[in-house]
């Protein structure tokens, strides 16, 4: 009887010990899991903070580069307007004086030169305005685009038109107007240099939440998968990222080029 009681007591003790060990094991396992989860969360947070810091640093670099480029363009615009413009004006005046001193049969020979000089002066003044961000802000975003397209038509394009859809929404940050305008300028510049296009168009589609800007040309296009990302395309994408916008460039050989930029208005 005594042995049976001792055996039962021993069995109960072993059970209690086993339960105790299981509980300790569960607690230790739980602590390890909690520690691992906390460690992973902290690690992820540190990684996210590092990524955010890197993104902020890159954004600051792009911002600084953009501001430096804008100042450079403004200086060039001033030089074109004040110095080159004055030289062309002086040359035009001298040519007019010289024209008055020659015989009538010689005056006709001055006609083409006078027109070329006059058109060159107009082009220099128009270009100087598009390089100066103060002028762009003064005359407005849409008018600046229209002026740039008019300049394109004078250069080589058969048509260069601006289409506006929806009701205009003012930019909360007017500096963004300059950035978008520079992106479109880069697109137009590439069309002039590479596309061999005859027609070009820009559409501004105003929606409550965003402005969708589409620029197209009917040039020779290119294979988007084979083209190298030169400084022009990199600049456009960097500028778009700076204003939290998405930029997509689509093209196929002999199908022209299309640029689509979505700018959030909210």
């Amino acid at each position: 009887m005594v042995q049976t009681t001792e055996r039962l007591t021993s069995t109960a003790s072993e059970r209690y010990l086993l339960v105790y060990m299981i509980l300790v094991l569960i607690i230790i396992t739980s602590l390890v899991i909690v520690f691992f989860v906390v460690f992973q969360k902290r690690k992820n947070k540190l990684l996210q903070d590092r990524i955010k810091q890197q993104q902020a640093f890159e954004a600051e670099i792009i911002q600084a580069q953009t501001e430096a480029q804008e100042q450079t363009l403004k200086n060039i615009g001033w030089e074109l307007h004040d110095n080159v413009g004055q030289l062309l004006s002086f040359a035009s005046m001298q040519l007019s004086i010289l024209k008055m001193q020659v015989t009538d049969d010689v005056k006709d020979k001055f006609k083409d030169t006078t027109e070329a000089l006059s058109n060159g002066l107009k082009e220099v003044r128009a270009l100087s305005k598009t390089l100066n961000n103060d002028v762009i802000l003064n005359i407005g975003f849409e008018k600046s685009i229209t002026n740039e397209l008019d300049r394109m038509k004078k250069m080589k394009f058969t048509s260069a038109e601006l289409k506006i859809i929806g009701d205009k929404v003012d930019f909360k940050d007017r500096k963004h107007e300059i950035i978008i305008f520079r992106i479109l300028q880069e697109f137009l510049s590439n069309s002039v240099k590479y596309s061999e296009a005859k027609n070009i168009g820009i559409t501004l589609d105003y929606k409550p939440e965003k402005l969708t800007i589409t620029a197209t040309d009917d040039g020779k296009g290119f294979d988007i998968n084979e083209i190298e990302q030169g400084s022009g395309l990199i600049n456009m994408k960097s500028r778009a990222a700076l204003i939290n916008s998405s930029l997509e460039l689509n093209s196929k050989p002999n199908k022209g080029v299309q640029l689509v930029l979505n700018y959030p208005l909210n």
Side-chain angles (χ1 to χ4, degrees):
M1 186 70 178
V2 174
Q3 291 179 349
T4 302
T5 303
E6 289 178 350
R7 188 179 298 112
L8 290 174
T9 302
S10 176
T11 302
S13 299
E14 290 175 353
R15 287 178 180 174
Y16 287 134
L17 180 61
L18 180 61
V19 170
Y20 175 77
M21 291 178 65
I22 292 174
L23 287 175
V24 170
L25 184 60
I26 291 174
I27 292 173
I28 292 174
T29 303
S30 299
L31 289 175
V32 170
I33 293 173
V34 170
F35 174 78
F36 179 76
V37 170
V38 171
F39 174 78
Q40 282 297 113
K41 285 185 176 180
R42 186 171 182 181
K43 180 181 177 182
N44 291 337
K45 186 176 183 304
L46 289 173
L47 288 174
Q48 290 175 354
D49 290 342
R50 185 176 298 176
I51 292 172
K52 288 180 180 179
Q53 290 175 357
Q54 182 65 27
Q55 290 174 340
F57 177 71
E58 291 175 354
E60 289 178 2
I61 291 178
I62 295 172
Q63 179 69 39
Q65 290 175 339
T66 301
E67 290 176 355
Q69 290 171 354
E70 285 301 323
Q71 187 59 48
T72 300
L73 290 174
K74 182 184 289 188
N75 292 338
I76 294 173
W78 284 336
E79 288 294 324
L80 286 174
H81 186 273
D82 295 340
N83 295 335
V84 179
Q86 286 182 4
L87 289 173
L88 290 175
S89 296
F90 178 75
S92 179
M93 182 180 65
Q94 290 295 101
L95 191 62
S96 297
I97 294 173
L98 183 61
K99 185 178 179 180
M100 294 172 60
Q101 298 174 355
V102 299
T103 58
D104 292 339
D105 59 328
V106 179
K107 287 182 180 179
D108 291 337
K109 297 180 181 180
F110 283 85
K111 184 178 179 181
D112 292 340
T113 304
T114 302
E115 288 182 356
L117 194 58
S118 177
N119 290 334
L121 180 59
K122 290 179 181 178
E123 179 63 23
V124 165
R125 286 174 174 170
L127 179 60
S128 69
K129 291 179 181 178
T130 66
L131 297 177
N132 192 327
N133 54 13
D134 292 334
V135 175
I136 296 170
L137 291 175
N138 185 46
I139 66 177
F141 178 64
E142 294 175 0
K143 179 63 176 175
S144 296
I145 295 175
T146 300
N147 289 346
E148 189 71 0
L149 290 175
D150 289 341
R151 199 170 68 85
M152 294 295 106
K153 280 192 286 188
K154 293 176 183 177
M155 291 177 61
K156 63 170 292 184
F157 293 103
T158 303
S159 68
E161 306 299 333
L162 173 64
K163 181 180 180 181
I164 300 174
I165 302 173
D167 297 326
K168 179 182 177 181
V169 178
D170 293 330
F171 287 72
K172 293 182 178 180
D173 189 340
R174 297 207 63 197
K175 290 181 180 178
H176 292 183
E177 296 181 30
I178 303 295
I179 293 175
I180 294 175
F181 181 73
R182 296 301 182 213
I183 292 173
L184 293 175
Q185 266 191 323
E186 186 71 41
F187 176 85
L188 295 175
S189 176
N190 289 336
S191 293
V192 170
K193 290 187 290 186
Y194 308 118
S195 73
E196 300 179 8
K198 297 299 181 183
N199 303 285
I200 195 165
I202 295 177
T203 300
L204 305 180
D205 187 359
Y206 288 97
K207 300 173 183 177
E209 72 284 357
K210 66 179 180 179
L211 168 62
T212 299
I213 302 172
T214 306
T216 58
D217 70 41
D218 61 353
K220 62 181 181 180
F222 54 86
D223 189 333
I224 198 72
N225 296 317
E226 294 181 359
I227 194 71
E228 294 183 4
Q229 292 201 2
S231 59
L233 181 57
I234 293 174
N235 281 340
M236 286 193 288
K237 289 187 175 182
S238 297
R239 289 176 182 269
L242 192 62
I243 55 175
N244 298 317
S245 299
S246 64
L247 185 146
E248 182 179 357
L249 198 66
N250 302 308
S251 182
K252 292 181 179 179
N254 302 315
K255 296 294 184 180
V257 182
Q258 180 192 62
L259 179 146
V260 180
L261 186 144
N262 288 297
Y263 171 73
L265 292 170
N266 297 330

